[in-house]
């Protein structure tokens, strides 16, 4: 790979221009752009790009602003994007954050702070409400809250447990949403050794409960080994059980001070998790040990939760400052095989755009509004950013490569490795110009086992010599309406296309309904270049045409080159055997993934991802044009809120 990686270039050197898009965007993409992102008299993507570039360049010294604004605008025109909040609010003067999501701590106290220094439950609730009011989603770990029935000394009563307080957070999110224009996104994590774990696992089986939450179990390596070896597993907490609990069961205190509330076979607990995930798609799994071991800042922070979509493991008050590159813009001569040629890829262009994207996202940290001072302080201390990509599935199609082939995975790895190296090199250059992030310590940052310790030696040496501006640099997120609006409905993030075509019914300004044909970008381009869409080549492989193992293999191939995580859904057929389903999660753990989300249509959930023509009386027709929801023609009959809300959260 070394010979394919371009030499370092300065971030402010304008990259060579790339060709303009080969086809004009489809009408539906333009409509989404105007409804979701255009402000004032903006009428085109270029208008949005100019505003965003100008707003983000405000972080530069006055003498550089004009040239850097031009650099950013050029990058946006040629494939770079900001996450949704950046594209919507940057440069507008609106009092909203440019950050999509945060993680916030919750302690074991009603108010103030608890014994561990964590904010009390209602302090955390107020902080979350303020964050969501400003446009940010929130992830939490609720494990500090004492379990149901634990002793509450101050009131001589028994605790109600974390699940009951999650009901309060759920209601607050729903209330905040009712005063705004977009649904709040929340992630709830509970540790695999919390005494209320079984209630947490099955809570969303209850009709209407936690509609405003995704939920995941924080799984440790110790637990997974216990499952493998069929060992007992203790459910523990630092809070003392109430006298009635101590009298009723084998409750005892361990040498480490934790109280053992119960002990069960690890396989029994694992089976409960897997059965729930198989039936209702939740809870998800986050491999919390792996997240912490791989963390560049493991010496100074502990990861307990992720943002709502799972691509960013974050410490308390950490943020998702994300910006993908649209990979389809770097394909040269797409579908050239139709004319006896071979498509190629602009590796040098991708390297240059990646480097500029690092500067762009570093600037976002300095121009955004921060809902809470703690979020500001956390961002300043570590300067996390997340350069990523979108359109991988379509890019492989345009190159004539099957997503579920070894060649397709090799190509994705080459992209991820180049972006890793160029992003880290650009951040070192920014450190020379602006200084390293305040908590930088070369020895601890590069100690064996961290992600940074696996970088090429020349980059490690540069970090030792000059520092690095950003503690973390890479993240592969779902790209939501950004991909639909600015990439002409290119495939989402790391995903393959779900369907090449579908129909969308939309409520118009006069209250009437209009039907729109929505097409995948690569599919449209293939047709416009003369391809026969009635007989697609075998490299047109969609999400449902490949095995669950194929989805997992792509994640496993790319994850070693991403310093945070990957958000991806592994599609599983309705008739997929439970034993094979369970083994997917074991394989994900053994392959070093940091989490896994699956979706299996079944009688409980219905076939949520449908591409049949919509019916007028049950079509999603609201104005919140989420791309995954656009790919969903109708909700299944009856109540199936767990998966419906999970899908709606992907923004």
């Amino acid at each position: 790979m070394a010979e394919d990686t371009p030499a370092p270039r300065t971030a402010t050197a304008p990259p060579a221009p790339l060709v303009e898009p080969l086809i004009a965007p489809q009408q539906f993409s333009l409509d989404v752009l105007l409804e979701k992102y255009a402000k004032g008299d903006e009428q085109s993507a270029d208008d949005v790009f100019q505003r965003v570039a100008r707003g983000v360049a405000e972080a530069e010294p006055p003498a550089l602003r004009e040239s850097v604004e031009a650099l950013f605008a050029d990058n946006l025109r040629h494939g770079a994007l900001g996450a949704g909040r950046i594209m919507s609010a940057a440069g507008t003067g609106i009092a909203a954050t440019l950050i999509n999501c945060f993680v916030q701590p919750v302690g074991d106290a009603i108010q103030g702070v608890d014994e561990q220094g964590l904010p009390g439950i209602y302090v955390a609730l107020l902080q979350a409400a303020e964050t969501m009011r400003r446009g940010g989603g929130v992830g939490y770990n609720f494990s500090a809250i004492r379990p149901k029935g634990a002793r509450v000394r101050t009131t001589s009563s028994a605790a109600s447990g974390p699940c009951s307080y999650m009901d309060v957070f759920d209601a607050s999110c729903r209330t905040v949403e009712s005063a705004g224009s977009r649904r709040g996104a929340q992630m709830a994590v509970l540790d695999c050794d919390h005494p209320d774990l079984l209630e947490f696992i099955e809570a969303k089986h209850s009709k209407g409960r936690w509609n405003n939450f995704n939920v995941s179990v924080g799984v440790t390596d110790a637990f997974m080994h216990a499952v493998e070896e069929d060992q007992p597993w203790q459910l523990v907490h630092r809070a003392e059980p109430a006298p009635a609990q101590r009298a009723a069961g084998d409750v005892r205190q361990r040498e480490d001070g934790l109280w053992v509330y119960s002990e069960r076979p690890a396989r029994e607990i694992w089976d409960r998790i897997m059965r729930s995930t198989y039936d209702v798609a939740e809870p998800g799994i986050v491999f919390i040990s792996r997240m912490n071991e791989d963390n560049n800042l493991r010496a100074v922070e502990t990861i307990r939760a992720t943002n709502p979509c799972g691509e960013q493991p974050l410490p308390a008050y950490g943020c998702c400052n994300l910006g993908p590159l649209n990979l389809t813009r770097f394909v040269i001569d797409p579908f050239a095989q139709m004319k006896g040629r071979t498509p190629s890829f602009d590796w040098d262009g991708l390297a240059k755009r990646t480097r500029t994207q690092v500067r762009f996202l570093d600037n976002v940290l300095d121009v955004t509004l921060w809902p809470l001072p703690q979020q500001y302080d956390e961002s300043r201390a570590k300067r996390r950013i997340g350069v990523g990509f979108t359109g991988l599935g379509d890019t492989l199609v345009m190159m004539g490569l099957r997503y579920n082939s070894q060649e397709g995975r090799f190509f994705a790895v080459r992209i991820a490795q180049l972006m890793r190296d160029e992003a880290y090199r650009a951040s070192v250059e920014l450190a020379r110009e602006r200084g390293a992030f305040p908590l930088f310590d070369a020895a601890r940052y590069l100690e064996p086992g961290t992600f940074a310790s696996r970088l090429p030696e020349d980059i490690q040496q540069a970090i030792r010599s000059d520092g690095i501006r950003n503690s973390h640099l890479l993240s592969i997120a779902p790209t939501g309406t950004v991909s639909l609006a600015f990439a002409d409905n290119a495939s989402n993030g790391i995903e393959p296309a779900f369907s090449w075509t579908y129909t969308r019914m939309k409520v118009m300004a006069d209250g009437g309904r209009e039907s729109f044909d929505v097409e995948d970008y690569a599919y449209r381009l293939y047709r416009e270049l003369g391809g026969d869409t009635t007989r697609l080549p075998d490299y047109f492989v969609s999400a449902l045409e490949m095995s669950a193992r194929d989805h997992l293999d792509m994640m496993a191939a790319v994850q070693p080159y991403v310093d945070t995580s990957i958000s991806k859904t592994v599609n599983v057929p309705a008739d997929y055997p439970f034993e094979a389903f369970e083994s997917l999660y074991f394989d994900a753990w053994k392959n070093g993934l940091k989490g896994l989300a699956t979706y299996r249509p079944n009688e409980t959930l219905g076939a949520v991802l449908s591409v049949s023509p919509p019916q007028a009386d049950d079509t999603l027709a609201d104005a919140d044009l989420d791309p995954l929801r656009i790919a969903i023609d109708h909700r299944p009959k009856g109540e199936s809120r767990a998966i419906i809300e999970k899908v709606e959260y992907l923004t």
Side-chain angles (χ1 to χ4, degrees):
M1 288 293 300
E3 66 274 15
D4 297 318
T5 303
R9 289 173 170 82
T10 60
T12 53
L18 297 179
V19 295
E20 295 301 317
L22 295 174
I23 53 175
Q26 56 195 307
Q27 185 60 47
F28 199 78
S29 290
L30 290 173
D31 290 346
V32 173
L33 186 152
L34 293 175
E35 291 183 26
K36 292 283 286 185
Y37 297 105
K39 300 293 186 290
D41 59 359
E42 293 173 354
Q43 294 296 314
S44 67
D46 196 64
D47 291 340
V48 176
F49 295 156
Q50 290 283 6
R51 165 180 47 83
V52 171
R54 182 171 57 254
V56 176
E58 285 295 311
E60 300 286 337
L64 291 179
R65 284 178 191 166
E66 184 177 351
S67 62
V68 173
E69 177 185 335
L71 181 75
F72 289 166
D74 181 74
N75 223 39
L76 291 165
R77 291 189 192 102
H78 294 91
L81 294 166
R85 302 303 305 163
I86 297 172
M87 302 306 289
S88 176
T92 64
I94 298 172
T97 182
L98 305 185
I99 306 300
N100 269 35
C101 298
F102 301 84
V103 159
Q104 295 181 205
V106 184
D108 187 34
I110 292 296
Q111 57 186 345
V113 297
D114 69 5
E115 295 178 354
Q116 307 301 310
L118 300 174
I121 295 166
Y122 285 92
V123 175
L125 183 67
L126 178 62
Q127 292 178 340
E130 177 62 16
T131 298
M132 287 185 282
R133 184 174 76 89
R134 299 291 186 178
V138 186
Y140 325 80
N141 187 308
F142 287 95
S143 301
I145 300 176
R146 66 190 61 195
K148 182 184 294 185
R151 184 180 183 184
V152 182
R153 292 178 180 271
T154 55
T155 58
S156 298
S157 61
S160 59
C163 294
S164 66
Y165 285 110
M166 282 181 60
D167 294 335
V168 178
F169 279 72
D170 183 66
S172 176
C173 181
R174 184 167 58 250
T175 302
V176 171
E177 175 215 344
S178 70
S181 61
R182 59 180 283 158
R183 178 175 300 281
Q186 297 187 114
M187 167 70 84
V189 176
L190 199 71
D191 293 344
C192 61
D193 61 355
H194 193 283
D196 290 357
L197 178 62
L198 298 183
E199 179 186 356
F200 177 84
I201 291 167
E202 298 182 356
K204 293 191 78 168
H205 293 237
S206 299
K207 179 180 177 180
R209 194 175 190 190
W210 299 352
N211 287 350
N212 299 291
F213 270 111
N214 292 339
V215 298
S216 288
V217 178
V219 169
T220 62
D221 285 350
F223 176 74
M224 295 301 290
H225 288 304
V227 175
E228 274 193 311
E229 299 163 9
D230 197 17
Q231 296 295 313
W233 185 252
Q234 295 178 342
L235 300 178
V236 301
H237 203 273
R238 65 177 62 255
E240 179 184 355
Q245 281 182 310
R246 298 181 65 176
D250 184 22
V251 179
R252 61 193 185 280
Q253 191 171 24
R254 300 193 316 200
E255 291 184 0
D256 61 5
L258 297 179
W259 289 88
V260 179
Y261 279 70
S262 65
E263 186 174 286
R264 295 171 176 266
R267 284 187 182 173
E268 175 189 317
I269 298 172
W270 179 250
D271 185 72
R272 295 278 284 273
I273 297 170
M274 289 291 99
R275 287 287 175 185
S276 179
T277 304
Y278 189 73
D279 290 339
V280 300
E282 292 198 82
I285 296 292
V286 293
F287 295 113
I288 210 76
S289 295
R290 179 61 180 166
M291 289 178 174
N292 282 286
E293 289 167 3
D294 197 53
N295 185 7
N296 286 340
L297 293 183
R298 67 187 189 185
V300 297
E301 67 182 22
T302 300
I303 302 294
R304 301 293 311 283
T306 75
N307 73 315
C309 288
E311 73 274 5
Q312 280 283 81
L314 293 167
Y317 301 110
C319 74
C320 296
N321 176 22
L322 308 180
L325 293 165
N326 175 12
L327 298 176
T328 67
R329 296 298 303 277
F330 301 94
V331 180
I332 300 171
D333 203 10
F335 301 114
Q337 57 272 34
M338 290 193 296
K339 298 180 180 179
R341 301 190 301 269
T342 301
S344 59
F345 193 83
D346 185 3
W347 298 103
D348 187 61
L350 179 62
K352 294 172 181 176
R353 302 296 175 183
T354 298
R355 296 168 72 81
T356 301
Q357 192 77 331
V358 170
R359 190 182 193 96
F360 177 85
L361 292 177
D362 189 65
N363 280 15
V364 167
L365 295 173
D366 294 327
V367 299
T368 188
L369 177 148
W370 295 97
L372 304 173
Q374 296 94 328
Q375 295 162 349
Y376 172 88
D377 293 341
E378 169 67 21
S379 75
R380 285 299 183 276
K382 302 166 186 174
R383 304 196 69 87
R384 270 180 167 87
I385 64 172
V387 179
F389 59 69
T390 190
L392 175 66
D394 276 9
T395 296
L396 294 175
V397 170
M398 292 160 68
M399 295 291 296
L401 300 172
R402 286 181 65 91
Y403 187 99
N404 58 342
S405 68
Q406 190 66 38
E407 293 78 13
R409 290 188 289 273
F410 282 158
F411 193 87
V413 165
R414 188 177 178 189
I415 288 171
Q417 183 173 343
L418 181 143
M419 292 182 69
R420 177 201 67 180
D421 294 351
E422 294 303 315
Y424 271 81
R425 288 188 176 114
S427 190
V428 170
E429 290 179 8
L430 272 183
R432 295 181 187 127
E433 178 183 341
R434 299 174 171 178
F437 67 90
L439 290 184
F440 173 71
D441 179 290
R444 294 192 294 182
Y445 190 80
L446 295 168
E447 70 181 10
T450 66
F451 179 91
S453 71
R454 301 193 299 275
L455 292 168
E457 184 55 39
D458 69 297
I459 301 178
Q460 292 192 50
Q461 187 54 47
I463 292 172
R464 292 187 188 96
S465 174
D466 299 313
I468 192 165
R469 180 67 172 170
N470 313 98
S471 66
H472 300 72
L473 287 133
L474 304 154
S475 184
I476 301 180
T479 49
T481 48
V482 169
S483 185
L484 178 60
F486 297 102
D488 194 24
N489 199 34
S491 55
N492 174 21
I494 195 174
E495 302 281 4
F498 172 73
S499 176
W500 307 117
T501 65
Y502 49 86
T503 303
R504 166 74 188 203
M505 191 76 72
K506 182 171 177 285
V507 175
M508 308 306 291
D510 61 2
R513 293 171 179 259
E514 187 172 341
S515 178
F516 289 85
D517 292 328
V518 185
E519 298 178 324
D520 172 80
Y521 171 72
Y523 175 87
R524 291 184 67 233
L525 181 60
Y526 179 74
R527 184 185 62 229
E528 293 300 315
L529 293 177
D532 181 1
T533 56
T534 65
R535 300 177 62 185
L536 293 173
D538 66 353
Y539 50 79
F540 273 86
V541 56
S542 65
L544 299 182
E545 293 174 314
M546 61 185 75
S547 71
R549 187 72 48 180
D550 293 330
H551 288 275
L552 187 65
D553 287 347
M554 181 61 82
M555 290 183 71
V558 171
Q559 180 63 74
Y561 304 95
V562 180
D563 57 15
T564 58
S565 193
I566 299 171
S567 179
K568 182 180 181 348
T569 299
V570 173
N571 297 94
V572 175
D575 60 354
Y576 202 68
F578 176 76
E579 293 74 17
F581 178 85
E582 191 175 29
S583 74
L584 288 174
Y585 284 81
F586 262 98
D587 289 346
W589 170 57
K590 291 178 178 178
N591 277 286
L593 297 187
K594 298 177 182 178
L596 187 63
T598 54
Y599 174 69
R600 184 187 73 91
N602 54 56
E603 291 182 1
T604 302
L605 300 177
V608 176
L609 296 179
S610 170
V611 294
S612 58
Q615 301 299 314
D617 61 349
D618 65 359
T619 299
L620 287 174
D622 57 89
D624 187 20
L625 302 172
D626 188 291
L628 282 184
R629 294 171 65 195
I630 290 168
I632 300 167
D633 288 334
H634 64 280
R635 294 182 175 182
K637 302 298 184 183
E639 292 289 338
S640 55
R641 302 295 294 177
I643 184 64
I644 295 298
E645 299 300 340
K646 186 180 183 72
V647 170
E648 286 185 344
Y649 287 156
L650 302 182
T651 57

